[in-house]
Amino acid sequence: MQHELENLIKNCKKGDPEAFNELLNRYSNRCYGYFFRLTKRTDLSEDLLSDLFIRVFRKISSYNEGSFDKWIFSVASNLFRDYLRRHYRQKRLLEEKAELIRQKDNGCKTRPEIFDQLDLALAKLDPETAEIITLRYYSQLSFKELAELRDEPIGTTLSKVHRGVKKLRHVMENS
Amino acid sequence: MKKNDDNLNLLLLQFMDEAQAQRFQDDLSVADDLYDSHPAEPVSPNTVSAISTQIQHELKRRHIWTIAEWCTAAAAVVVMALLAGLFLLNSSPSANQLPAGGFQTANAQIWSDTPIANAIETDPIEQELSALTKDIQSMSLDAYGSTNALTVDLLEIEEIEAFAEDTSFWKG
């Protein structure tokens, strides 16, 4: 499996279109899920996914060794944070989320397809906690890799995730 | 979804006691179950196809750029070679060049302090200066020594007198 992925990446570096297609098929759902859980918007998640793969395509020569999952999700995480900084200030995102929750609570069915219990629970967490929990789930990285990706001590990552999952559980149990 | 946390318990025990580590793992497992039971909708095939097309375009553009870069590099090498050839051709001694001695003589004449050099440099300027001096002297003579100058003076006196008599201009 790992060997297969290495070959795929080698071919991507050579500019093989088929290899890029294969890489896209392999990672698109996980990356899309990561963006979708954080933005709650299909159009935005698709745009971010597209930006992600273009960035991966342009930067794949800079990937040398180590976990490719860690590499691609670090690109995805940076992309999401850039997006938050540039276009969608955290406050606005929270306001929009709150508005969506209000609509949901009032029985408004304008965008029913994007809502589930998990979305509602994640909306009650702060964006950083929601991001780290979602990143851990979709990237399937170990805590060590997660800490490296976030460039922070492993103890800090563990503490943030623990606080997050505890709150998530509490929110779900009380909803 | 499978997680890459084979030694999670060992890792957690480095930071907390056994009970806390157990609680952490329980919470984590609840969160994972939550994500598993609420899968995000899959990405649409159209989006994947659009991204794929975009990457194909990028690849084509990259190929074109690579070819263009190679062509530019080759052209640059040819131009450099031609320039180097021309330089070598011109720097070798040939019959077309001026004899070096000619320049040296001229320079020596201009920059030395010999009487010849001084004569070359200053003669025309001195001639011009003396001609200008003569012109200025002759103009001065015209202004004060001729009858025309006297006529001008008389006219000026008459004008001043007329102006002094007519004092009504300020009354409007």
Side-chain angles (χ1 to χ4, degrees), chain A residues 18 22 31 41 55 57-58 69 71 75 79 86 114 124 133 153 159 164 166:
Chain A
E18 284 307 311
E22 173 62 26
C31 295
R41 281 175 56 186
R55 208 178 271 198
F57 167 76
R58 287 178 185 159
D69 285 23
W71 186 80
V75 178
L79 202 62
R86 279 186 290 118
I114 67 163
K124 288 179 183 166
I133 297 173
S159 155
K166 215 183 333 187

Side-chain angles (χ1 to χ4, degrees), chain B residues 3-140:
Chain B
K3 293 290 171 311
N4 190 14
D5 284 323
D6 298 334
N7 300 314
L8 182 59
N9 200 40
L10 282 175
L11 176 72
L12 293 178
L13 288 174
Q14 290 175 17
F15 296 92
M16 53 192 85
D17 61 37
E18 210 162 308
Q20 278 181 318
Q22 191 52 51
R23 250 197 320 276
F24 187 122
Q25 288 188 75
D26 287 349
D27 290 341
L28 211 56
S29 133
V30 168
D32 285 346
D33 289 346
L34 202 60
Y35 274 95
D36 284 338
S37 58
H38 295 88
E41 62 178 53
V43 61
S44 82
N46 288 345
T47 306
V48 177
S49 153
I51 296 170
S52 175
T53 313
Q54 215 172 335
I55 291 174
Q56 307 303 322
H57 280 303
E58 287 270 334
L59 267 172
K60 269 182 200 163
R61 202 184 303 165
R62 188 186 278 183
H63 283 309
I64 291 167
W65 266 107
T66 312
I67 292 165
E69 277 169 5
W70 274 103
C71 290
T72 312
V77 167
V78 170
V79 169
M80 290 296 283
L82 281 172
L83 286 173
L86 280 171
F87 176 76
L88 287 173
L89 210 67
N90 286 338
S91 63
S92 62
S94 71
N96 292 338
Q97 281 183 321
L98 280 169
F103 287 118
Q104 279 166 8
T105 314
N107 280 335
Q109 281 175 353
I110 291 164
W111 296 108
S112 74
D113 286 332
T114 59
I116 298 166
N118 287 341
I120 291 169
E121 277 292 285
T122 57
D123 267 1
I125 297 167
E126 277 176 5
Q127 281 168 11
E128 218 167 297
L129 273 173
S130 65
L132 275 170
T133 314
K134 278 175 195 166
D135 286 350
I136 290 164
Q137 281 169 353
S138 66
M139 278 167 72
S140 302

